[in-house]
Amino acid sequence: MNNNSENNNNINQLLRSIKSCTLCENNLPLNPLPILQASSNSKILIAGQAPGIVTHKKGIPFNDKSGERLRKWLGVTEEQFYNPELFAIIPMGFCYPGTGKSGDLPPLPLCAKTWRPTLMERLKHVELTIILGKHATKWHLNSNAPITELTLQWQSLLKEKQLVLPHPSPRNNIWLKRNEWFETDVIPVLQLMVKEILT
């Protein structure tokens, strides 16, 4: 068996284990439904927060308005986005954590602690990591800086093959209006980089 086949078998076995995980069952509002996608060949990693209720019901990551905007930012089709050979979509928490007073609750930390280090080791071909949200920035960048501050560092982060984006949720429309530089300066560079990676 060659190394590529072995890597595929390793990650597929790991994904099966993750998708049958019930570790946080007693702390979840609904039945566990770990939602993610990945392949040992994934070229771009989307590191998000945790599935929302719509994602939980559909069982498909970013199959909503946020996903539409994210795919537009990336300049990719649905077919490309949902191809695990191209995109790994790995939130900090794989299951819907429930809703609090100001929106969805944070991802349960046991999820990332249990699965993330081993999963990241299997992603040997990632050329760009897209980081969404403060929990993902804390894990990937070890930073508690505000998202706006980290987004402004896009040029230096891209040199490290990483990029922090505001969450593409419609809730961030006000942020996008206040920070027009993001869509005029960052998005064209991001789209060009994604196109080069995928082709």
Side-chain angles (χ1 to χ4, degrees):
M1 183 181 293
N2 61 39
N3 286 340
N4 199 40
S5 297
E6 187 175 345
N7 287 340
N8 282 334
N9 287 339
N10 286 341
I11 198 168
N12 288 337
Q13 184 177 357
L14 179 60
L15 290 171
R16 284 193 292 271
S17 297
I18 291 171
K19 290 181 179 181
S20 61
C21 177
T22 58
L23 284 174
C24 300
E25 187 171 17
N26 294 333
N27 297 309
L28 294 171
L30 303 172
N31 290 333
L33 181 64
I35 298 171
L36 71 160
Q37 84 174 30
S39 157
S40 59
N41 298 317
S42 298
K43 297 180 178 182
I44 297 174
L45 167 62
I46 308 289
Q49 298 288 89
I53 187 63
V54 173
T55 296
H56 177 87
K57 288 177 179 177
K58 292 183 177 181
I60 304 170
F62 289 106
N63 190 231
D64 54 15
K65 292 293 184 184
S66 295
E68 288 177 15
R69 175 176 275 164
L70 179 57
R71 287 185 286 278
K72 183 179 178 182
W73 283 350
L74 296 169
V76 299
T77 64
E78 276 194 38
E79 183 180 7
Q80 289 173 309
F81 188 75
Y82 290 115
N83 180 351
E85 299 292 304
L86 303 180
F87 285 92
I89 304 173
I90 304 176
M92 295 305 298
F94 299 138
C95 294
Y96 169 60
T99 304
K101 291 181 180 178
S102 58
D104 287 349
L105 293 171
L108 296 175
L110 181 59
C111 188
K113 183 179 179 181
T114 302
W115 298 113
R116 205 168 189 84
T118 310
L119 191 47
M120 292 299 112
E121 287 176 9
R122 302 287 193 274
L123 300 176
K124 299 184 183 299
H125 299 288
V126 169
E127 298 179 44
L128 176 64
T129 298
I130 304 290
I131 305 169
L132 304 171
K134 66 179 182 179
H135 299 283
T137 57
K138 175 62 177 173
W139 201 93
H140 284 272
L141 301 176
N142 193 29
S143 174
N144 289 314
I147 294 297
T148 302
E149 181 181 322
L150 293 169
T151 306
L152 281 164
Q153 297 174 23
W154 63 276
Q155 289 171 307
S156 58
L157 283 172
L158 276 179
K159 292 176 183 176
E160 304 296 322
K161 299 183 178 180
Q162 300 180 104
L163 188 66
V164 173
L165 301 184
H167 197 281
S169 166
R171 291 183 180 182
N172 271 338
N173 285 346
I174 293 174
W175 186 94
L176 291 168
K177 285 183 179 178
R178 289 176 179 166
N179 297 275
E180 292 183 355
W181 56 268
F182 172 73
E183 291 193 309
T184 58
D185 298 351
V186 182
I187 293 304
V189 176
L190 172 61
Q191 290 178 348
L192 182 61
M193 190 170 187
V194 168
K195 185 176 181 180
E196 288 175 352
I197 290 171
L198 298 187
T199 56

